[in-house]
């Protein structure tokens, strides 16, 4: 309950932070674009004003050169017009009083303490009676600046309104886009192991990428459900397998409690049974541990180059010693170099040999061979025993699978040997193929490729 609450707070935070971040980014974008536009506007407007005054200044210079200058008109139009010789700097013509800060540059404002004024100044070449001079014209643009400022304020106001509307629309639409994600988050947060089989995300309402996301999550949930079901089945089958030896142990121990001490026969039988059941339980537990460790990839294979022919020869000797009642044959035992985990592969081949012995009767033949086939190693374990039905073949590599034909026969086994063998062979990029005929025997062919690094 607590974690559920934590999750939903997290979702809300996530969604909120995404919505706000996108809205903030859009806001910043609008603000920067607006600032740029306003600067552009000021530049363009001041440029127009400056161009107009420059033409006027040029007119004054031309009129002065042709001696047609109208002093009164110039006085009325500009703040100051001064002509100075290039050589001596002597003022030879002056209208109005040049502002003190005339030398400052093209544009300048009066200090903020005084009345706000903006001036523009031009410096142009003039030739008067053969003397090279320059004219400096200063114009007062305060009025034009006031106009530009008013327009600027109006624009800024409109821009602010538009920006607010745009950011609000953006916020609303981003929220709308994230609503299905929100619903998905709520649905996913409701999922647990009890309802994983019935709860799925609703794909119908969502669109495009979200629909794909929902389908991908649903597929992942399907896979998780399958894995969970497989795990559950594995645990229940493992417990089932353990229950039988435990019941037997309990039965014999209570028998011992009642009569064991006095009755020597009962005592011997019980001790034998307890020993055999304990051994069977140990085998089962080891197999379960092996499967679970390998499944979590906790046991990496220790691979090296070795001769499979030697391993097969060792296994043959072992088998002859352990099952004297079977006719053991090693038809071919070639020396084949294999790159793999020697002990693990030996364990896998032992499973096929154990089965061949288990599912045959006295006098039947079990043959083993190892040969080099186009660089790969081929190991064949064949028997003339019970064989399998076609319908059983599909399941033999599954966990806890035992064919109905062997179940009633009092043959030891938990149905885990072949799954372990397949796990090992798969870990070496190998293949297993089976040929079998019910009541006639079976033939398992294991092929391990020779290449390194698999
Ligand atoms: P276990 O032998 O312990 O039952 P395995 O995983 O080794 O488990 O084998 C699974 C099943 O495959 C066996 O129960 C048996 O029905 C069938 N099987 C395997 N090998 C043979 C064989 N050589 N002959 C007949 N049946 C076999």
């Amino acid at each position: 309950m607590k974690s559920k609450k934590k999750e939903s707070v997290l979702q809300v935070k996530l969604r909120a932070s995404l919505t706000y971040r996108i809205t903030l980014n859009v806001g910043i974008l609008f603000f920067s674009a607006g600032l740029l536009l306003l600067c552009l506007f000021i530049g363009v407007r001041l440029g127009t004003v400056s161009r107009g005054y420059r033409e006027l200044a040029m007119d004054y210079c031309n009129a002065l050169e042709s001696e047609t200058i109208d002093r009164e008109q110039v006085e009325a139009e500009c703040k100051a017009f001064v002509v100075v010789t290039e050589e001596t700097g002597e003022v030879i013509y002056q209208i109005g009083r040049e502002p003190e800060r005339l030398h400052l540059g093209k544009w300048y404002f009066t200090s903020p303490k005084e009345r706000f004024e903006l001036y523009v100044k031009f410096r142009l070449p003039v030739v008067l009676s053969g003397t090279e001079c320059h004219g400096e014209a200063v114009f007062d643009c305060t009025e034009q600046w006031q106009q530009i400022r008013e327009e600027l304020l109006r624009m800024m106001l409109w821009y602010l309104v538009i920006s607010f509307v745009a950011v609000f629309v953006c916020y609303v639409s981003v929220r709308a886009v994230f609503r299905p994600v929100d619903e998905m988050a709520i649905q996913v947060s409701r999922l647990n192991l009890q309802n994983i089989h019935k709860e799925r995300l609703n794909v119908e309402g969502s669109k495009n990428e979200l629909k794909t996301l929902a389908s991908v999550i649903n597929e992942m949930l399907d896979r998780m459900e399958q894995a969970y079901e497989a795990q559950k089945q594995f645990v229940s089958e493992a417990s089932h397998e353990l229950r039988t030896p435990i019941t037997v142990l309990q039965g014999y121990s209570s028998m011992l409690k009642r009569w064991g001490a006095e009755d020597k026969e009962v005592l011997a039988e019980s001790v034998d049974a307890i020993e055999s059941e304990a051994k069977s339980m140990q085998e089962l537990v080891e197999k379960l541990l092996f499967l679970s460790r390998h499944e979590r990839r906790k046991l990496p294979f220790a691979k090296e180059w070795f001769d499979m022919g030697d391993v097969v020869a060792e296994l043959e000797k072992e088998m002859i010693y352990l099952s004297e009642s079977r006719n053991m044959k090693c038809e071919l035992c070639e020396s084949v170099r294999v790159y793999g985990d020697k002990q693990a592969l030996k364990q896998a081949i032992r499973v096929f040999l154990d089965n061949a012995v288990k599912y045959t009767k006295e006098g039947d033949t079990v043959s083993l061979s190892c040969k080099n086939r186009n660089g790969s190693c081929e190991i064949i374990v064949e028997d003339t025993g019970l064989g399998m039905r076609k319908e059983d073949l599909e399941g033999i590599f599954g966990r806890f699978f035992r064919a109905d034909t062997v179940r009633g026969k009092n043959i030891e086994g938990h149905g885990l040997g072949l799954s372990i063998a397949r796990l090992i062979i798969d870990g070496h990029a190998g293949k297993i193929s089976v040929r079998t005929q019910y009541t006639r025997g079976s033939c398992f062919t294991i092929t391990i490729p020779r290449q390194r690094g698999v």
Side-chain angles (χ1 to χ4, degrees), residues 260-425:
E262 292 96 52
D263 194 331
K264 288 238 162 96
E265 220 173 277
V266 171
L267 182 70
E269 190 196 328
S270 307
V271 170
D272 279 353
I274 288 171
E275 194 185 4
S276 122
E277 287 307 320
K279 197 175 150 234
S280 154
M281 263 169 85
Q282 189 191 6
E283 270 174 22
L284 174 63
V285 169
E286 265 164 24
K287 281 177 180 167
L288 290 174
L289 266 177
F290 182 93
L291 282 170
S292 91
R293 279 184 195 158
H294 264 279
E295 232 147 51
R296 281 183 287 142
R297 300 188 189 281
K298 284 228 168 140
L299 283 182
F301 292 111
K303 291 184 181 176
E304 55 177 338
W305 283 105
F306 68 94
D307 192 337
M308 186 59 94
D310 292 346
V311 173
V312 168
E314 279 169 33
L315 283 166
E316 191 212 355
K317 269 190 219 154
E318 211 176 90
M319 280 298 132
I320 291 172
Y321 173 71
L322 288 173
S323 52
E324 285 165 344
S325 58
R326 309 293 190 269
N327 178 20
M328 292 293 301
K329 280 202 297 185
C330 186
E331 285 168 341
L332 186 66
C333 188
E334 282 180 5
S335 160
V336 192
R337 299 276 295 155
V338 166
Y339 184 73
D341 187 323
K342 190 174 163 183
Q343 289 313 319
L345 284 170
K346 195 172 177 180
Q347 184 186 351
I349 301 166
R350 203 180 271 130
V351 170
F352 296 101
L353 277 171
D354 276 345
N355 282 351
V357 173
K358 269 194 319 196
Y359 302 114
T360 47
K361 44 185 197 311
E362 242 174 75
D364 274 339
T365 305
V366 174
S367 60
L368 172 69
S369 71
C370 168
K371 60 183 168 196
N372 187 334
R373 181 174 278 253
N374 307 326
S376 297
C377 177
E378 195 177 85
I379 300 139
I380 301 173
V381 180
E382 197 168 359
D383 67 71
T384 55
L386 187 63
M388 285 171 269
R389 288 189 179 133
K390 249 191 183 164
E391 59 268 30
D392 291 332
L393 260 183
E394 278 172 29
I396 57 171
F397 293 101
R399 308 268 153 89
F400 299 103
F401 177 86
R402 303 208 77 199
D404 292 338
T405 46
V406 305
R407 277 196 187 269
K409 287 203 157 56
N410 198 23
I411 304 172
E412 261 188 38
H414 304 288
L416 291 174
L418 287 181
S419 0
I420 291 176
R422 191 166 74 174
L423 214 108
I424 296 170
I425 305 295

Side-chain angles (χ1 to χ4, degrees), residues 25 178 183 251 275 283 331 432:
N25 283 349
F178 279 114
E183 280 162 16
E275 194 185 4
E283 270 174 22
E331 285 168 341
I432 306 169

Side-chain angles (χ1 to χ4, degrees), residues 71-187:
R71 230 187 130 82
E72 273 176 24
Q73 191 196 337
V74 176
E75 254 172 1
E77 284 173 355
C78 77
K79 183 89 183 161
F81 179 55
V82 181
V83 179
V84 181
T85 59
E86 284 294 351
E87 244 178 56
T88 56
E90 184 195 340
V91 177
I92 52 172
Y93 189 84
Q94 180 166 5
I95 293 177
R97 204 170 62 80
E98 184 186 3
E100 273 166 33
R101 283 171 232 88
L102 190 65
H103 60 278
L104 276 179
K106 189 179 172 187
W107 294 98
Y108 60 91
F109 294 92
T110 49
S111 118
K113 283 181 205 153
E114 301 165 28
R115 194 182 78 87
F116 180 84
E117 283 170 6
L118 175 70
Y119 297 101
V120 62
K121 185 186 99 176
F122 300 99
R123 186 189 160 110
L124 298 161
V126 193
V127 180
L128 288 180
S129 337
T131 315
E132 283 200 11
C133 311
H134 70 259
E136 283 183 8
V138 180
F139 297 92
D140 185 351
C141 326
T142 314
E143 231 170 79
Q144 283 94 329
W145 174 246
Q146 300 288 6
Q147 260 179 27
I148 294 173
R149 237 175 46 163
E150 272 165 28
E151 277 174 44
L152 205 71
L153 275 171
R154 263 203 305 278
M155 269 179 73
M156 268 164 72
L157 219 74
W158 274 112
Y159 192 76
L160 270 176
V161 173
I162 292 169
S163 295
F164 269 118
V165 172
V167 168
F168 180 72
V169 169
C170 165
Y171 175 78
V172 171
S173 36
V174 169
R175 266 190 74 99
V177 166
F178 279 114
R179 192 158 300 132
V181 178
D182 248 13
E183 280 162 16
M184 272 188 212
I186 290 166
Q187 272 178 305

